Amino acid sequence: MNALTQPTPLDQARQLLESTLRFVRKSDDPYVISRFGDLLIRIDVAAALLKRAELIQAQGQSTAEIDVAFTEAQIASSEALLAASNAEFELTGQRTALPPSLDDPLRWKYQIVGNYRLNNVVPPRVRSAV
C-alpha cells in the first residue's frame, strides 16, 4: 500500500487487530485469547488467498481463474475486516469508523465463486481492491 491508495480490507483488518491488541494486551481472559486466535487465523487465511491469487495471475492462468481467485481473497479479507471490527467493539467498547471499503456486497462475490466452481460459469470482469 502506498500513500496515495486507500488501505485494503486486509490492511484495515490488520490495523484494527493491532489497535485492539494494544487495548487488551496481556489478557488472561480465555474469551479474549480465543477471539484473538480466531482473528489471526482469519487474517492469515485472507493473506494466503491473496498471495495465491497473485501467484495464479503471475502464472498467466485463465482470466476467469484469476478473477475467481481474487474474488475469494476479497471475500476472506472483507470477512476478516468485519470480524476484526466486531471484536474491537466487543473487547474495547469502541468502534473505528471504516471507510467505504465494503461497498461491494459480499453476497454477489459468494455467488460468483460458487457459480464458477460448481457450474464453470465465467465471472464478469469486475474486480475491486483486496
Side-chain angles (χ1 to χ4, degrees):
M1 177 178 70
N2 65 43
L4 299 177
T5 61
Q6 280 193 315
T8 66
L10 182 56
D11 296 328
Q12 292 170 322
R14 287 178 175 142
Q15 291 167 0
L16 279 176
L17 184 64
E18 187 60 37
S19 70
T20 304
L21 179 60
R22 285 191 298 269
F23 191 87
V24 296
R25 184 166 298 284
K26 305 225 183 216
S27 173
D28 61 356
D29 181 330
Y31 175 77
V32 172
I33 294 167
S34 173
R35 195 73 169 108
F36 264 86
D38 173 57
L39 293 172
L40 288 169
I41 290 168
R42 289 172 186 257
I43 290 169
D44 287 348
V45 166
L49 284 172
L50 179 57
K51 285 195 182 295
R52 177 179 163 268
E54 291 167 347
L55 178 63
I56 288 170
Q57 185 176 41
Q59 292 172 341
Q61 292 191 25
S62 74
T63 301
E65 195 62 43
I66 293 167
D67 287 348
V68 168
F70 275 103
T71 300
E72 291 168 342
Q74 291 167 358
I75 289 169
S77 296
S78 296
E79 293 286 355
L81 175 56
L82 289 170
S85 179
N86 289 337
E88 177 193 40
F89 185 69
E90 291 168 18
L91 301 176
T92 70
Q94 303 170 39
R95 185 174 302 270
T96 300
L98 300 176
S101 59
L102 298 175
D103 58 356
D104 196 5
L106 287 179
R107 66 187 175 99
W108 293 113
K109 293 185 183 303
Y110 283 108
Q111 197 271 342
I112 287 169
V113 171
N115 210 15
Y116 180 72
R117 299 288 186 216
L118 182 64
N119 300 319
N120 204 30
V121 172
V122 175
R125 289 284 307 171
V126 179
R127 200 178 329 154
S128 60
V130 175

